[in-house]
Amino acid sequence: MSLEIAVAAALFTGVVAYSVLGGADFGSGFYDLTAGGTRRGAELRRQVDHSIGPVWEANHVWLIFVLVVWWTGFPSTFAAVATTLAVPLVLALVGIVLRGSAFAFRKYAATVAQARFFGVVFAVSSVVTPFFLGTVAGAIASGRVPTAGEGDPWASWTGTTSLVGGVVAVGTCAFLAGVFLVTDAARAGKAGLTAALRRRVLVVGLLTGAVVLAALVPLHDDAPMLWAGLTGRALPLVLLSFVAGLTTVVLVAVRRFGPARWSAVLAVASVVSGWGVAQYPWLLVDEVTLVQAAGAPATLQGLLVVVGLAAVLVLPALGYLLWLTQTEAWSGAPGAREVQK
Amino acid sequence: MDLLTGLTTLAADVPDPAGLLPARQQMALSLGWHIVLACFGVAFPTMILVMHWRGVYRDDPLALVLARRWAKVSAVLFAIGAVSGTVLSFEMGLLWPGLMGRFGDVLGLPFAFEGVAFFLEAIFLGIYLYGWGRIPPRRHLLMLVPMALTGIAGTFSVLAVNGWMNNPTGFRIVDGEVTDVDPWAAMFNSGVLWQFLHMWVAAFMVAGFSVAAVYAAGMLRGRRDRHHRLGFTVPFAFASVAALLQPAIGHLLGSRLADTQPAKLAAFELATETESPSPLRLGGLLVDGEARWSIDIPYLGSLIARNSLTAPVQGLDTIPLDEQPPVNITHLAFQSMVGIGTALALLALVYWVARWRGHDLLRSETRGGTWLLRAAVAAGPLAVVALEAGWIATEVGRQPWVVYGVMRTTEAAGNASTALWWVLGASAVLYAAMTIGAVLVLRSMARRWREGDESLPSPYGPELEPAEELRR
């Protein structure tokens, strides 16, 4: 594997990790938003806080990892995308800022009224942000970002593929989050919450699946490059995603929540990977390939050193955190000591 | 890249790109805001570590209470610090495509290390915050150690990029193309060590004086219990060590300038022409090319800037007009930083010398004690002002270059302008809202703690009635 491809693989691993881990965080905003009034929604909102509180900050860093590796490894394309897709990027950014701060503020808010306000900000921005990030992916995949940058500020991201990317992103985030939340609720022994969440996850899952399948049709005309890849080289991943998604829905339906988490992660990871594989070898479709866009070889080597360091330091620590959240003391299982409010 | 240089850019022959002025304002707003929170991210974990250590190993329940409250405060500050840091990552491309497109692979590596450091800090913060009562106490305490270390690594990485912008190295330009890129040489440039130390120590001054100021204010209102004394003493001790070290570090950093950035040094010192020996100019402004209204102390300029009684400070007259930074802003910012820094160091010295001689000013209700507490309250905001002034001095002083001597800031900016003005307006609203939200939440935390509410009530709606819970 060449240096460029190795760095691109590391970069794309970050994209997949952000889609899965960050996606599950963002998606929980959807359930928070639709949880109902203050009293009726309290249990679900507490579950959202409990489930993502310890991890959202760490999950968020994948985005920073992606940005940094991108501008270091493939600098000119980063500038091209940033100047062309400034509008959706800024809107996503506003969402990220509002969401992160409002989530922290809600936890320590002074009154219920304040908490409600911060909660609405958190939930709305959680739903909006993946949409705009999805449109950015769609814009790149449909070849609407010129190499020189400063492409059309609106037409570049309002094409069919972009809008489809946005909707798919919102749907997959909600689906993932739902599976995680219902698992946590079931493990904590909250029967009523589990039942309510289960129903919603099934609806969200079926809807998202339908959207993803229907979305493939317009791609044929709007993003022929991507279409060729998805129905060619990336077809196994597309099929895998379909099977894993369907499996997840079935598992949730029969209340096998533990395994459903894994198939949900597989479904999302394979659909995102499918996009990456379908787009290969282009970085900006029909404009620049990965190899053409790569920065200096010494820098790419340096980046691989950083990636190695991250693998040694970050992954075990992240694993420990994620493991802790699954232990009895942290998951709020019946009988576990609940000290931290 | 700052709020004010855009107004006084001197490059006359080439028209500025339309995106320059809004980009500068935007960067000034977002970085100026983030830098304060970054200080807390870097220094607060170490202060909590000491407090928590005291609680665990000296069996001091009060210290544990303080550590836990500080952890909750740091959760809020860390969250808004993280999102404002993300803003900066986006802005590198949105505002400075010329810089990132050309030099991304030269300057990017330290950012990647900073990414790793930040990742670890975020992970261990999550473990630490949610670990109270769920992880064995000693292991829980250990979770702070990686946070303290990643604060050092992260500061080094970010300052490596800034050091590179001030002392660019690790590449060659052949026929207008950047080539022979050595990102490691760029990362370990000649300016990084002292710049890093200067910023790292500044972070402890900001966080230490700010936290101490909160408890000093409480004591002024008559709450002179052990809780307040402990809450004051630990951060104040950190801030004191930092404040006393900072002049030495700053001096070593500044003494490089005569060789590396004479234009910045001339602006710092308001040296209109080369004098031997050079005086130290206190205050003053540059008006029509002349230094006015300053108080000049002979010899001291040479001594401070060049470690010599005779060596001259190179004057602005030797530097082409289009390569001079905005002199007045640079000069005033530099002097504010040094002036406030000196005052803070004196405050620390007075407090500890008095305490060593048996006058614990925190215990005495005398006029001296009251005045000292008032000074300690002022020290918090003053440390923030000194931080901002120092940052303005080094950034404005580098102008008109974004990469010193290699790329002008005008070449780094993009051409979009209308959009950027809208973004700037929206950002101003957003940052104001975030500031209000943070203040609101932190104040309500403090109020409830004062009322004795240790674990804050759940904000997710009225607690369910037991009966209602059973029905579910």
Side-chain angles (χ1 to χ4, degrees):
Chain A
M1 192 164 28
S2 70
L3 211 50
E4 296 91 352
I5 305 305
V7 172
L11 175 66
F12 200 72
T13 307
V15 173
V16 174
Y18 185 58
S19 308
V20 171
L21 294 165
D25 282 359
F26 277 115
S28 55
F30 169 77
Y31 299 94
D32 201 297
L33 188 65
T34 53
T38 313
R39 182 177 286 267
R40 204 157 62 83
E43 195 182 15
L44 176 53
R45 297 206 169 91
R46 221 170 288 154
Q47 184 64 51
V48 167
D49 180 66
H50 194 94
S51 294
I52 71 173
V55 292
W56 81 269
E57 206 111 55
N59 291 343
H60 166 76
V61 187
W62 287 107
L63 175 64
I64 296 177
F65 171 85
V66 167
L67 292 176
V68 165
V69 174
W70 187 1
W71 83 48
T72 309
F74 308 93
S76 59
T77 59
F78 178 71
V81 167
T83 50
T84 301
L85 300 175
V87 177
L89 283 173
V90 166
L91 291 173
L93 188 57
V94 170
I96 288 169
V97 168
L98 286 177
R99 174 191 132 80
S101 46
F103 182 67
F105 292 162
R106 176 171 80 167
K107 187 166 175 58
Y108 300 107
T111 61
V112 173
Q114 266 182 29
R116 268 170 67 176
F117 172 73
F118 290 133
V120 169
V121 174
F122 158 74
V124 171
S125 50
S126 292
V127 175
V128 166
T129 306
F131 175 78
F132 289 114
L133 290 176
T135 62
V136 169
I140 295 172
S142 56
R144 287 185 163 92
V145 179
T147 318
E150 299 186 3
D152 193 301
W154 298 98
S156 57
W157 65 280
T158 48
T160 319
T161 312
S162 280
L163 300 181
V164 163
V167 173
V168 169
V170 173
T172 47
C173 288
F175 181 50
L176 253 184
V179 177
F180 278 67
L181 284 172
V182 75
T183 313
D184 285 352
R187 203 175 32 208
K190 297 172 183 161
L193 185 61
T194 309
L197 274 170
R198 178 175 156 274
R199 270 195 309 276
R200 289 186 203 189
V201 174
L202 289 174
V203 173
V204 169
L206 291 171
L207 270 179
T208 306
V211 168
V212 170
L213 283 181
L216 285 174
V217 179
L219 288 196
H220 180 268
D221 293 330
D222 193 57
M225 228 342 278
L226 187 69
W227 167 262
L230 285 173
T231 51
R233 198 184 315 113
L235 191 60
L237 284 166
V238 175
L239 294 176
L240 176 64
S241 172
F242 178 69
V243 172
L246 207 61
T247 310
T248 312
V249 171
V250 171
L251 286 171
V252 170
V254 300
R255 297 190 174 76
R256 299 265 303 164
F257 301 123
R261 270 181 318 181
W262 295 106
S263 56
V265 167
L266 187 65
V268 174
S270 51
V271 80
V272 177
S273 308
W275 160 45
V277 170
Q279 190 180 311
Y280 181 84
W282 300 102
L283 204 170
L284 303 179
V285 166
D286 296 337
E287 292 277 336
V288 195
T289 65
L290 285 167
V291 175
Q292 289 165 348
T299 305
L300 298 180
Q301 282 167 3
L303 275 177
L304 289 181
V305 172
V306 179
V307 169
L309 189 74
V312 173
L313 294 178
V314 173
L315 292 186
L318 189 62
Y320 181 51
L321 172 63
L322 294 176
W323 174 79
L324 279 172
T325 59
Q326 306 300 311
T327 57
E328 275 210 346
W330 286 51
S331 63
R337 212 153 51 100
E338 173 66 36
V339 182
Q340 167 85 19
K341 271 278 176 230
Chain B
M1 296 187 201
D2 70 288
L3 196 61
L4 299 158
T5 39
L7 303 171
T8 48
T9 303
L10 296 166
D13 41 352
V14 191
D16 289 347
L20 180 67
L21 185 54
R24 280 183 152 152
Q25 312 270 16
Q26 177 78 27
M27 201 70 185
L29 173 67
S30 48
L31 193 50
W33 201 85
H34 176 74
I35 197 170
V36 180
L37 292 157
C39 286
F40 280 90
V42 166
F44 215 178
T46 312
M47 284 157 43
I48 299 175
L49 175 65
V50 167
M51 193 57 96
H52 195 156
W53 178 85
R54 195 188 162 92
V56 171
Y57 285 90
R58 292 216 199 156
D59 207 11
D60 182 347
L62 200 58
L64 274 185
V65 168
L66 278 166
R68 193 161 175 176
R69 289 180 180 180
W70 288 1
K72 286 180 180 173
V73 172
S74 77
V76 173
L77 296 179
F78 198 87
I80 54 180
V83 294
S84 59
T86 311
V87 173
L88 292 171
S89 318
F90 276 81
E91 284 178 350
M92 295 301 283
L94 289 170
L95 306 178
W96 310 111
L99 172 69
M100 297 314 285
R102 276 194 95 190
F103 289 104
D105 57 349
V106 184
L107 62 80
L109 195 58
F111 276 127
F113 278 103
E114 140 73 28
V116 173
F118 183 61
F119 224 138
L120 287 170
E121 185 162 9
I123 292 168
F124 283 99
L125 182 86
I127 298 178
Y128 180 72
L129 281 178
Y130 286 78
W132 287 94
R134 295 171 174 172
I135 298 182
R138 290 185 186 198
R139 201 200 306 167
H140 185 216
L141 176 61
L142 273 181
M143 297 300 136
L144 284 162
V145 175
M147 290 168 70
L149 295 179
T150 52
I152 298 175
T155 311
F156 181 89
S157 304
V158 170
L159 270 293
V161 178
N162 191 266
W164 176 82
M165 290 162 84
N166 281 294
N167 309 273
T169 177
F171 64 95
R172 284 194 314 135
I173 292 186
V174 180
D175 299 332
E177 291 293 313
V178 178
T179 165
D180 288 346
V181 175
D182 180 353
W184 302 98
M187 182 165 163
F188 295 101
N189 60 77
S190 61
V192 61
L193 179 66
W194 295 112
Q195 275 201 255
F196 151 67
L197 282 174
H198 198 51
M199 184 66 226
W200 186 54
V201 168
F204 278 91
M205 287 177 69
V206 167
F209 280 123
S210 299
V211 176
V214 172
Y215 292 93
M219 283 190 275
L220 274 178
R221 290 186 186 142
R223 294 191 278 272
R224 291 180 185 249
D225 44 17
R226 180 161 170 275
H227 170 99
H228 277 77
R229 280 204 304 282
L230 190 59
F232 175 85
T233 308
V234 169
F236 194 78
F238 272 105
S240 299
V241 174
L244 292 170
L245 281 176
Q246 194 65 302
I249 296 169
H251 173 65
L252 288 168
L253 174 62
S255 61
R256 292 170 30 87
L257 284 181
D259 297 326
T260 57
Q261 292 183 333
K264 188 188 272 186
L265 179 63
F268 279 180
E269 304 287 324
L270 204 56
T272 45
E273 50 201 56
T274 312
E275 290 174 72
S276 178
S278 294
L280 177 70
R281 294 214 160 86
L282 290 180
L285 281 177
L286 188 71
V287 180
D288 299 332
E290 266 180 75
R292 297 223 185 134
W293 310 301
S294 64
I295 303 166
D296 295 4
I297 305 171
Y299 297 103
L300 211 52
S302 290
L303 194 66
I304 289 177
R306 309 275 331 252
N307 268 333
S308 150
L309 281 176
T310 52
V313 170
Q314 195 180 330
L316 287 165
D317 56 347
T318 62
I319 296 155
L321 202 59
D322 72 342
E323 291 183 16
Q324 290 183 9
V327 175
N328 284 329
I329 300 168
T330 311
H331 172 68
L332 291 178
F334 176 73
Q335 292 224 321
S336 309
M337 171 190 75
V338 173
I340 295 172
T342 310
L344 293 174
L346 280 176
L347 172 69
L349 206 60
V350 167
Y351 172 80
W352 293 104
V353 166
R355 186 163 154 158
W356 170 58
R357 301 202 46 188
H359 305 287
D360 188 347
L361 298 169
L362 300 185
R363 288 173 195 277
S364 62
E365 303 264 6
T366 59
R367 242 177 43 190
T370 307
W371 275 107
L372 187 100
L373 283 177
R374 284 187 188 150
V377 171
L382 281 176
V384 174
V385 173
L387 168 82
E388 300 282 2
W391 166 65
I392 290 170
T394 191
E395 295 294 282
V396 179
R398 192 186 61 233
Q399 302 302 324
W401 305 102
V402 63
V403 182
Y404 189 75
V406 176
M407 178 183 255
R408 284 172 186 265
T409 312
T410 49
E411 299 170 72
N415 269 318
S417 76
T418 328
L420 288 187
W421 283 113
W422 278 105
V423 171
L424 179 63
S427 307
V429 174
L430 200 62
Y431 277 93
M434 249 200 303
T435 310
I436 292 169
V439 170
L440 208 69
V441 167
L442 291 175
R443 285 188 57 165
S444 96
M445 279 159 92
R447 195 182 58 242
R448 279 186 290 182
W449 282 332
R450 267 204 303 281
E451 289 163 1
D453 267 341
E454 203 48 49
S455 51
L456 311 171
S458 168
Y460 303 107
E463 295 285 337
L464 297 171
E465 297 297 323
E468 211 172 328
E469 196 128 30
L470 280 178
R471 254 184 275 131
R472 276 164 190 261

